[in-house]
Amino acid sequence: MPVTDVTHDLDALTLTITAEFAAPVERIWQVYADPRQLEKVWGPPSHPATVVEHDFTPGGRVNYFMTSPEGEKFAGYWKITAVDEPRSFSFEDGFADMDFTPNPSMPVSTNVYSFTEHDGRTRATYVGRYETAEGLQKVLDMGVIEGSRAAINQIDEFIAS
């Protein structure tokens, strides 16, 4: 399984996930840079993603929704703040309504995803920072660790196919 470590820190307001993939950095980068590939791994297997907008440039936006097994849709967005291809990208990740208007009652995280070469593989570090401990606790209670682990653990199988 690619995920090797998950930690959260309510004092620092962070959730950090570390993973290692059996592919070069450039290949892992493409998973995030290509909307059709991102759909295959953004969201756990039970809640596949549909990416409807994908402007993967600073100032750009990625709009998506996940669909539950019962057909219920949950929308979200990324506001891209920085891109350093293929090493890292930063973005705000938030919940939205189905028109992709941000939901102000839900937490927003500021994220940095970093990819480094490690013995011919890719080590990825996913760091999300929340504005409040309550916001971080809310997503923890919603299952963000389990969902993120399930989503990230799909990547090796996807890139091997």
Side-chain angles (χ1 to χ4, degrees):
M1 292 283 117
V3 173
T4 59
D5 188 50
V6 179
T7 59
H8 67 274
D9 184 331
L10 288 172
D11 294 325
L13 310 176
T14 57
L15 172 63
T16 304
I17 301 171
T18 306
E20 193 166 300
F21 302 104
V25 168
E26 293 78 9
R27 179 65 188 99
I28 300 304
W29 178 266
Q30 282 304 311
V31 169
Y32 293 92
D34 178 338
R36 300 298 71 91
Q37 293 184 51
L38 182 60
E39 288 178 329
K40 303 295 185 190
V41 301
W42 188 252
S46 62
H47 289 69
T50 300
V51 176
V52 297
E53 181 179 346
H54 190 273
D55 180 355
F56 201 61
T57 59
R61 193 167 160 122
V62 174
N63 290 329
Y64 65 90
F65 63 87
M66 295 181 197
T67 304
S68 75
E70 298 77 33
E72 190 174 5
K73 293 182 177 8
F74 303 95
Y77 66 91
W78 295 353
K79 286 174 53 180
I80 306 295
T81 56
V83 175
D84 181 16
E85 183 179 349
R87 291 176 285 281
S88 68
F89 67 99
S90 304
F91 62 101
E92 293 176 10
D93 184 15
F95 296 85
D97 64 23
M98 288 310 295
D99 291 328
F100 301 104
T101 301
N103 181 341
S105 68
M106 294 297 289
V108 173
S109 60
T110 301
N111 297 269
V112 178
Y113 285 14
S114 304
F115 311 103
T116 56
E117 189 277 330
H118 183 73
D119 294 333
R121 299 168 61 84
T122 297
R123 179 166 292 153
T125 306
Y126 306 96
V127 180
R129 181 176 306 281
Y130 291 80
E131 293 177 4
T132 65
E134 294 78 20
L136 174 54
Q137 188 62 57
K138 185 171 193 164
V139 298
L140 291 171
D141 293 345
M142 292 170 64
V144 69
I145 290 175
E146 298 80 5
S148 296
R149 182 185 304 272
I152 293 166
N153 281 340
Q154 301 174 103
I155 293 175
D156 269 349
E157 185 177 334
F158 169 68
I159 61 176
S161 63

